[in-house]
């Protein structure tokens, strides 16, 4: 797969700039490239750039900024898709402007290839910004790095909100109604650039998570026993529109030290366990205090990731139900912290965290 960086490149010299000349090169990602230009190239771009050469031939360049919207306005073809790469605490996504169609511009197989970190752009998933339905502002669909389609993604929805704000050239505080496979989600961009998301009401009924584990408190699966590879784990099952299995440790064992886990070995065994008919995301949690939790996650369809927004929400619900934590917590993930609140007044979960653009590019499919 060839990745073409088109019309916009960030140059790390004395100043950051975006170049408007188009070029194509085999590369996996573009965020910062050194640039040296010949005398001929100086003449070609002299109308757009001011060049100050030094004795070492380094150049200080300035150019007019190309907006993300104008970049994505470039003509699409059947073999090319333009995108913006975003991340939320290291959970990274390829964002595609799909507002002109209710069908994704690329297939699930193509998404898996794009997400490959050696042969593609590299990402945990591909997210499509699509027309709204049933009165919502927009719709969001996502394909995981293995090509599967989850219902929703917490870090992805924050990236989605920032992507829409850039496409629409919106400044300051804004909120959107987003239709997802998990239902209505409402992200709100804060004045400081963080994104606060109303993640809705957690689902606890076993068959709706879904899990085949029997309810331990009514129809909810709370501190149930799950045998994984011969080891008895205590688990609580929560759905945030997508299934989560949360564990604070093994039965009668010590509290988890999540940094000691062999996640690539144990994670898939939870994900594909027969008790989870739709597979599951799994959060391994260490309690630092009643308002401070630390987690590692094995995501369904993506494996070990640096962050999982829905997982952070689900684990706070589990921690409250098990009597381990307060309703408002900081959750430390490998990529950084999220602020999570499970409000008693409306039973909704609120997640606040960052989302940042990394680079703009085009992929030849």
């Amino acid at each position: 797969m060839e990745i073409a960086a088109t019309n916009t490149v960030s140059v790390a010299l004395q100043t950051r700039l975006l170049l408007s000349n188009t070029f194509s090169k085999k590369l996996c990602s573009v965020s910062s490239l050194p640039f040296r230009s010949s005398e001929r190239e100086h003449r070609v771009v002299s109308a757009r750039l001011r060049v100050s050469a030094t004795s070492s031939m380094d150049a200080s360049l300035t150019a007019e900024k190309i907006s993300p919207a104008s970049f994505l306005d470039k003509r699409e073809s059947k073999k090319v898709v333009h995108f913006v790469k975003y991340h939320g605490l290291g959970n990274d996504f390829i964002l595609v402007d799909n507002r002109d169609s209710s069908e994704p511009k690329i297939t699930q197989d193509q998404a898996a290839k794009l997400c490959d970190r050696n042969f593609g752009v590299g990402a945990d998933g591909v997210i499509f910004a699509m027309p709204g339905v049933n009165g919502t502002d927009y719709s969001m669909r996502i394909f995981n790095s293995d090509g599967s389609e989850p219902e929703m993604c917490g870090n992805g929805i924050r990236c989605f909100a920032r992507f829409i704000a850039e496409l629409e050239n919106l400044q300051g505080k804004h909120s959107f109604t987003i239709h997802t496979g998990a239902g209505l989600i409402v992200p709100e961009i804060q004045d400081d650039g963080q994104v606060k998301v109303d993640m809705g009401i957690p689902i606890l009924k076993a068959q709706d998570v879904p899990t085949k584990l029997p309810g331990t408190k009514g129809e909810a699966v709370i501190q149930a026993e799950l045998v994984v590879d011969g080891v008895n784990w205590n688990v609580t099952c929560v759905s945030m529109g997508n299934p989560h299995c949360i564990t604070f440790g093994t039965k009668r064992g010590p509290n988890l030290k999540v940094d000691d886990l062999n996640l690539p070995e144990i994670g898939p065994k939870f994900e594909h366990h027969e008790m989870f008919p739709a597979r599951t995301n799994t959060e391994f949690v260490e309690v630092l205090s009643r308002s401070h939790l630390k987690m590692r996650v094995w995501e369904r369809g993506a494996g070990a990731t640096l962050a999982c927004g829905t997982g952070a929400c689900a684990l706070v619900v589990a921690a409250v139900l098990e009597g381990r934590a307060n309703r408002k917590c900081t959750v430390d993930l490998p990529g950084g912290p999220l602020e999570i609140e499970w409000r008693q007044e409306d039973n909704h979960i609120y997640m606040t965290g960052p989302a940042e653009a990394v680079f703009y590019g085009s992929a030849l499919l």
Side-chain angles (χ1 to χ4, degrees):
M1 180 179 298
E2 181 175 281
I3 310 303
T6 307
N7 289 332
T8 307
V9 179
S10 174
V11 180
L13 289 168
Q14 296 178 19
T15 58
R16 186 177 176 218
L17 59 90
L18 298 172
L19 300 177
S20 61
N21 50 314
T22 301
F23 68 98
S24 165
K25 186 178 181 181
K26 285 187 182 294
L27 41 83
C28 293
S29 65
V30 179
S31 61
S32 178
L33 295 174
F35 179 80
R36 295 175 186 271
S37 56
S38 67
E39 230 177 284
R40 183 174 181 274
E41 290 170 325
H42 285 179
R43 291 196 298 270
V44 172
V45 299
S46 61
R48 301 290 300 273
L49 305 173
R50 296 196 304 274
V51 181
S52 299
T54 67
S55 59
S56 65
M57 295 303 291
D58 288 335
S60 175
L61 308 175
T62 59
E64 72 177 74
K65 186 174 181 179
I66 307 297
S67 71
S70 66
F71 176 84
L72 290 165
D73 281 341
K74 287 296 179 182
R75 182 181 176 184
E76 300 278 357
S77 78
K78 291 182 179 179
K79 295 185 178 180
V80 178
V81 62
H82 301 302
F83 64 87
V84 182
K85 177 81 174 284
Y86 277 80
H87 81 89
L89 298 179
N91 197 191
D92 55 343
F93 304 96
I94 296 164
L95 276 292
V96 177
D97 183 9
N98 213 117
R99 292 172 297 167
D100 59 351
S101 173
S102 294
E103 289 298 320
K105 291 184 177 180
I106 64 173
T107 67
Q108 288 168 279
D109 286 342
Q110 288 171 330
K113 291 177 182 177
L114 279 176
C115 289
D116 190 289
R117 297 188 185 277
N118 294 306
F119 297 100
V121 176
D124 292 321
V126 179
I127 295 175
F128 304 90
M130 308 179 85
V133 297
N134 301 324
T136 59
D137 297 322
Y138 303 97
S139 295
M140 180 182 103
R141 288 182 66 181
I142 176 172
F143 293 156
N144 282 326
S145 58
D146 69 351
S148 61
E149 182 172 5
E151 299 85 353
M152 221 283 287
C153 175
N155 289 310
I157 199 77
R158 297 199 315 277
C159 294
F160 184 99
R162 290 292 300 270
F163 182 54
I164 290 296
E166 292 199 68
L167 287 176
E168 304 285 4
N169 197 26
L170 302 175
Q171 306 295 324
K173 199 169 185 176
H174 285 278
S175 64
F176 315 98
T177 54
I178 312 296
H179 173 77
T180 74
L184 176 67
I185 302 292
V186 184
E188 181 181 73
I189 299 174
Q190 307 296 294
D191 289 328
D192 63 359
Q194 297 262 309
V195 183
K196 183 176 183 178
V197 186
D198 179 352
M199 299 288 286
I201 298 172
I203 298 166
L204 301 176
K205 189 176 180 180
Q207 69 180 34
D208 294 335
V209 170
T211 178
K212 294 179 181 179
L213 288 169
T216 56
K217 292 187 179 179
E219 294 182 285
V221 177
I222 302 170
Q223 287 185 300
E225 184 176 315
L226 180 70
V227 180
V228 180
D229 203 22
V231 178
N232 295 329
W233 293 78
N234 286 327
V235 301
T236 293
C237 297
V238 178
S239 173
M240 295 301 306
N242 56 350
H244 292 270
C245 173
I246 302 97
T247 181
F248 296 86
T250 58
K251 188 175 182 181
R252 290 187 294 273
N255 291 332
L256 273 182
K257 298 294 182 183
V258 295
D259 290 335
D260 296 337
L261 284 171
N262 186 343
L263 199 57
E265 180 181 344
I266 190 66
K269 295 174 182 178
F270 275 83
E271 177 185 357
H272 297 281
H273 199 284
E274 62 183 358
M275 289 293 103
F276 303 108
R279 296 188 291 161
T280 190
N281 303 282
T282 308
E283 286 73 39
F284 300 89
V285 190
E286 181 177 340
V287 179
L288 303 178
S289 75
R290 291 192 62 83
S291 60
H292 195 182
L293 307 173
K294 182 178 181 179
M295 87 172 207
R296 291 181 69 191
V297 60
W298 184 267
E299 290 198 52
R300 178 186 60 166
T305 62
L306 294 178
C308 177
T310 55
C313 294
L315 77 85
V316 170
V317 172
V320 171
L321 292 174
E322 293 190 22
R324 299 176 185 271
N326 303 326
R327 285 179 170 264
K328 190 172 184 179
C329 294
T330 298
V331 178
D332 287 346
L333 304 99
L338 286 173
E339 299 299 323
I340 309 295
E341 181 180 7
W342 185 16
R343 288 188 188 167
Q344 196 160 9
E345 310 90 83
D346 60 7
N347 204 30
H348 283 226
I349 303 281
Y350 294 86
M351 170 188 64
T352 303
E356 299 178 7
V358 182
F359 64 85
Y360 313 106
S362 298
L364 303 180
L365 301 174

